[in-house]
Amino acid sequence: ADLTFGSGGVVTMPSFGGNYFGNIGADDSIFVSWRGFGNGGIRKYTPSGQPDLTFGVAGFFQTTLPGGPFDVNASMYCYEALDGSVYDLCIQASNNHHFICKVNSLGVIDTSFGTLGYVNITTLVAMNRVLITRFLVNPDGKIIVPGGFAPTSGDWQFGSLRLNADGSLDTSYGTGGLCLVPQAALGKNAEVCNDIFTYCSTIASDGTAFVHGYVASNLYSHSCSLFYPFTMVKITPEGVWDQTYGDGGVFRFYDSEDGYYENYTSNVILPCDGSHIVALQKYSGLGDDTYLIRVTADGHLHEGFETIKGVTNSEYFWGLAYGNGKVYVAGEINSGDGYTTRVYNCAQ
């Protein structure tokens, strides 16, 4: 550990709430999305791990949605744009609406963006619910927002939208600003119509969006009644579902070993030379298993990369990094041994 960072190598967060995802800024500043009790927001730290007192109030910008100062229970993801502006994805506690807000480099809300600095993604595209975990600000200021979209209660679909730099919907993208992948293409089981979940979508620098998560599926002969394979789709920079990707536009992964409930979720996903390295967690009646897989650029399981299975049914992969042809995996073996780090070859 770098003992010069923070205090003895550690930055201690406030004792209430918790943090979600962070990002490293252009000058190595650290931005952390904060989940509090009525005070979600963005925390900024200097490269040395100290609160940046020039940002917000003592290094903290508190997300305050129009209509109520304490109606936010989580900030999920923050991102620093090339001009130094910082964008934050936050959730409104009372109705689970998802917002994106924009602040300047000093942590002051930019009221020229959306409505008083906020864009309500849920109402902007007339959805009953949305589930957003990632977004990307392009160099021109436009914002790609992939995730899950439900036009009606339980009617979940994968999709993506694009905002203009001022927070309005970019109607040149997809159909009127939004691209949705039909439920039928995802292999939806109509009897389990609300079981779909999107995790950490990835977005390429050209605006291509990869939306992934689990979907209740009846596409395969399977002895269990509830089957949720890991599912990923590709949406082009123009907002068009790429039906040449994977099998008819969809990549799916499962490794059936039993006839029990199986649910595949992606803890982390990492772009790697045009492909993706994915860490998966399988929950089933015979215990939990962890997998590390590689998905090719055209949406197929990489034949040259050995599918890695965790050494125990209590091993979890939480972080990935790639360098020198190797994948570095930060994880945890849930047996009192604490955190572990493993190294795998990216191109075997």
Side-chain angles (χ1 to χ4, degrees):
D2 182 354
L3 300 182
T4 67
F5 179 77
S7 177
V10 177
V11 174
T12 302
M13 300 289 181
S15 59
F16 58 91
N19 62 287
Y20 276 101
F21 297 101
N23 261 315
I24 305 299
D27 62 352
D28 290 334
S29 295
I30 304 166
F31 296 90
V32 179
S33 290
W34 181 255
R35 170 180 59 88
F37 300 103
N39 66 341
I42 308 168
R43 295 190 178 277
K44 182 179 180 182
Y45 295 88
T46 66
S48 63
Q50 304 301 320
D52 186 339
L53 302 182
T54 68
F55 184 82
V57 178
F60 179 58
F61 166 76
Q62 180 175 335
T63 308
T64 305
L65 297 177
F70 299 106
D71 199 17
V72 177
N73 70 346
S75 288
M76 297 292 294
Y77 178 73
C78 56
Y79 182 92
E80 184 187 33
L82 294 177
D83 64 358
S85 299
V86 183
Y87 296 78
D88 186 46
L89 172 65
C90 49
I91 299 177
Q92 191 169 17
S94 62
N95 55 19
N96 205 38
H97 282 189
H98 286 53
F99 289 75
I100 292 178
C101 73
K102 179 183 178 181
V103 301
N104 64 23
S105 60
L106 298 178
V108 178
I109 194 72
D110 181 350
T111 56
S112 68
F113 180 77
T115 301
L116 300 178
Y118 295 82
V119 173
N120 186 331
I121 300 298
T122 309
T123 60
L124 182 69
V125 289
M127 291 290 152
N128 179 270
R129 291 187 66 185
V130 301
L131 183 55
I132 307 297
T133 59
R134 286 291 188 272
F135 60 87
L136 174 71
V137 183
N138 289 332
D140 61 3
K142 294 189 176 184
I143 306 171
I144 306 292
V145 187
F149 298 84
T152 60
S153 179
D155 183 26
W156 285 101
Q157 302 172 62
F158 284 6
S160 180
L161 62 88
R162 187 167 69 190
L163 303 176
N164 291 310
D166 63 359
S168 61
L169 194 61
D170 181 0
T171 56
S172 68
Y173 181 86
T175 301
L178 175 67
C179 171
L180 293 176
V181 177
Q183 279 193 349
L186 296 174
K188 283 288 292 174
N189 181 343
E191 296 179 358
V192 197
C193 63
N194 62 343
D195 284 336
I196 183 172
F197 202 85
T198 55
Y199 281 84
C200 305
S201 300
T202 53
I203 313 166
S205 58
D206 66 353
T208 300
F210 295 86
V211 188
H212 62 92
Y214 64 76
V215 178
S217 177
N218 58 359
L219 291 183
Y220 302 97
S221 175
H222 198 265
S223 57
C224 67
S225 59
L226 295 176
F227 177 47
Y228 301 74
F230 171 76
T231 304
M232 183 160 64
V233 302
K234 177 182 178 181
I235 298 175
T236 69
E238 296 76 29
V240 178
W241 170 40
D242 186 349
Q243 298 186 51
T244 68
Y245 184 79
D247 181 10
V250 182
F251 169 80
R252 300 178 185 86
F253 173 83
Y254 75 104
D255 182 21
S256 178
E257 295 180 347
D258 57 72
Y260 289 86
Y261 173 99
E262 296 186 3
N263 176 357
Y264 292 79
T265 64
S266 50
N267 288 335
V268 283
I269 187 166
L270 175 73
C272 176
D273 299 337
S275 61
H276 285 84
I277 304 294
V278 187
L280 297 171
Q281 189 70 31
K282 168 189 168 184
Y283 305 90
S284 75
L286 296 182
D288 301 344
D289 290 317
T290 302
Y291 295 82
L292 193 67
I293 65 172
R294 184 175 181 182
V295 184
T296 63
D298 60 357
H300 295 91
L301 199 62
H302 196 292
E303 295 182 357
F305 182 83
E306 179 184 357
T307 297
I308 305 296
K309 186 175 180 179
V311 295
T312 75
N313 65 0
S314 296
E315 182 174 11
Y316 302 92
F317 294 156
W318 296 116
L320 297 178
Y322 171 64
N324 300 319
K326 297 183 183 297
V327 178
Y328 297 82
V329 182
E332 178 181 10
I333 297 179
N334 191 18
S335 60
D337 296 334
Y339 290 92
T340 62
T341 300
R342 302 181 186 278
V343 181
Y344 299 102
N345 196 324
C346 184
Q348 297 184 10

